[in-house]
Amino acid sequence: MKIWDMHCHLPSPQLTGESLMEQAEQLLEIAGRVGISKLCLFLEVGKPLGPFSDDEIVRVLERYYDRLYGFVWCDLQQTAESVDLLQKWVGDGPMVGLKLGGFSGVCSRREYAPVFEKAIDLKAVIYQHTWLKVSGNLPNESTPQDVVDLAKRYPDYPFICGHSGGDWEVGIRAVTAAPNVSIGIGGFYPTSGIVESGVRQLGAERVLYGSDAPGRSFSSQLGKVLGADLPDEHKQMILYDNFDRLMQPISRKKGWIAP
């Protein structure tokens, strides 16, 4: 099967490379062992100069343009700065998406609308980390319900609910209310039944494979899909087709594929 991993992180202390280029090459080599042909990297920009500088990010994405996608990591609480980062890295640069993490602001708050409207204007793929913690979420951490509230304001645009909310039994049920929301299944234990539940409640077209590597292993996360009691057609949708479909609008906007 063709496999794209839409949830990876660099740089990482779990990799031995001393530069971003070396780490990217190491991650690509490991992914290749299990048949993954393309990775999506969530990248924090604006860090101090050094081996993981913005210039190095550009060099990595340009060198491996056919094997790596980049999502710019923004903070909704820095609203104006995030709009500028989207323009710089997605509109005028080599990246294709918006990544929002667990400290990045509660996405349903209306004051953050300029960030999402900028991303939508650029055709960026939007990935929102979500979690449901028994002990209570972080102060600026979104839940699947927040993504649903956000997505209902932009019903014609797709959103990715990262981690399926962590507590996936609740998270999957929550996003059934918004047909433009897909779940990312990366970054939590490969418990039997996760993927089948997502397909049963949402349809195979709304489930996306991603690993959260190198914090999680490619193989354990692939096991969620390859070990699922599903037809191969559905597995191929989850491993490649669905993310490829989400990439089509920005790929056309950037001129990478024919309109």
Side-chain angles (χ1 to χ4, degrees), residues 110-178:
R110 291 182 179 270
E111 60 263 36
Y112 301 145
V115 179
F116 294 107
E117 289 168 5
K118 182 65 173 179
I120 291 169
D121 181 61
L122 295 172
K123 307 297 183 186
V125 180
I126 300 174
Y127 178 96
Q128 173 67 64
H129 163 103
T130 67
W131 215 268
L132 292 160
K133 292 183 170 69
V134 173
S135 57
N137 275 24
L138 300 170
N140 294 299
E141 187 173 30
S142 297
T143 67
Q145 291 87 343
D146 289 309
V147 177
V148 169
D149 289 346
L150 169 67
K152 285 182 176 179
R153 299 203 295 270
Y154 307 99
D156 298 324
Y157 203 82
F159 295 85
I160 302 171
C161 176
H163 306 292
S164 306
D167 186 346
W168 53 271
E169 291 175 295
V170 177
I172 292 170
R173 287 199 300 271
V175 302
T176 59

Side-chain angles (χ1 to χ4, degrees), residues 199-211:
V199 170
R200 183 171 60 253
Q201 297 185 65
L202 306 174
E205 68 278 2
R206 292 173 61 190
V207 181
L208 296 164
Y209 163 72
S211 64

Side-chain angles (χ1 to χ4, degrees), residues 4 18 43 50 67 71 107 126 135 138 144 164 174 183 193 202 218:
W4 287 1
E18 295 183 358
L43 296 159
R67 298 194 64 193
F71 278 33
C107 65
I126 300 174
S135 57
L138 300 170
S164 306
I183 57 167
L202 306 174
F218 291 118

